[in-house]
Amino acid sequence: MLEVENISAGYGKENVINDISFTIKKGELYVLLGPNGSGKTTTFRAISGIIPLSKGRVIIEGIDLEREPELAKRKLGYLPEGERVYPNISVYKNLLFFAEIYDVDRGKIDVVLKEFGLEKYKNSPAGYLSRGMRKKLALARALLHDPEVIILDEPFSNLDMSTVLRLRDEIKKMIENDRIILFSTHILSELQYFEDVNCRVAFINEGRIILERELEELAGSVNNILVVFRVNDKTRAREVLTSLGYDVSIEQSGVVVRVSNYHKEVPAILKVLLTHDITVYEARPKESPVERFYRDFVDI
Ligand SMILES: Nc1ncnc2c1ncn2[C@@H]1O[C@H](COP(=O)(O)OP(=O)(O)OP(=O)(O)O)[C@@H](O)[C@H]1O
């Protein structure tokens, strides 16, 4: 279990995050969403013991981070924002450095290098790697000691599609294996791939958690949402929907209307379109419910 109790932290005397609290159980994913500068990275740094707390406690699997930092940090894997690696030493030595800190068997380094497709760069200075490769190295390093709590700051940015796919699978596997995962992301659509795991989403703004919801609940909140109807005759469909009182726009993919109650209105609209001999190939939300929620949340 990861217990974050009323923590405040910042840089110098100023607190950037204030009174942040949450508890994450094994096998749970916790996602931080928030605009630039809202305090996601600072929260992760505070939980990882990189910056000191000015208030509150972080307890990792029963161990107080401030009282027993070495022991607590062993249970933690942290992927920092950006692609932070030691540029002047080899890929292998980047991993070796951490393996030694955490008493990890050297054989594990080769396993991880293979897993992340970094074998052929083993002896290259890490600074020569591409951005995406550096990120893979940073990820490999975070997971090297098989930590119980894994904190990933913007894990999906700057990765190629195949690595994104593998990382999604890897995150799900780690959740199944009772790990605790936290990540932040700006890629809201990424969340839909985690709807089948135990996931909570926290919205952070100006250093405070404003709202916390189960992802399942967010994904189901399809009210007040734009819906696209893919039809055989867009002009006719617009006429019919306008006569029903909707504000209709025509787009490449179909006609678009905003519904306030998705589950009630969409079947009713389908029925009316059908009675006017309009074929509907598909009806789907134009924006993801999480995106809609986020829009309302940050007021954009
Ligand atoms: N090293 C630092 N020294 C002083 N202030 C900092 C430092 N790092 C971040 N800040 C400030 O703390 C605030 C929160 O930054 P933080 O990086 O935690 O936000 P974030 O939500 O991760 O942003 P982003 O989405 O842009 O990565 C910002 O106002 C930022 O300027």
Side-chain angles (χ1 to χ4, degrees), residues 66-116:
E66 273 192 324
R67 285 199 194 143
E68 295 180 272
E70 302 237 323
L71 209 55
K73 283 183 192 175
R74 264 170 198 270
K75 298 191 172 291
L76 239 155
Y78 176 53
L79 172 75
E81 195 181 25
E83 291 72 45
R84 300 241 177 94
V85 293
Y86 298 116
N88 299 324
I89 59 173
S90 71
V91 166
Y92 182 82
K93 283 190 178 155
N94 262 274
L95 294 173
L96 182 63
F97 183 71
F98 273 76
E100 283 175 349
I101 295 176
Y102 292 120
D103 295 325
V104 176
D105 190 90
R106 286 185 181 206
K108 182 81 191 292
I109 298 178
D110 288 312
V111 175
V112 165
L113 281 172
K114 199 168 171 204
E115 251 176 44
F116 284 87

Side-chain angles (χ1 to χ4, degrees), residues 11 16 34-43 45 81 153-154 186:
Y11 308 92
V16 165
N36 290 129
S38 56
K40 302 179 293 293
T41 297
T42 306
T43 304
R45 283 189 186 143
E81 195 181 25
D153 201 348
E154 291 287 340
H186 284 117

Side-chain angles (χ1 to χ4, degrees), residues 155-169:
F156 299 105
S157 57
N158 300 321
L159 289 178
D160 60 39
M161 201 55 213
S162 58
T163 312
V164 167
L165 294 175
R166 281 206 305 122
L167 181 57
R168 268 183 213 150
D169 288 345

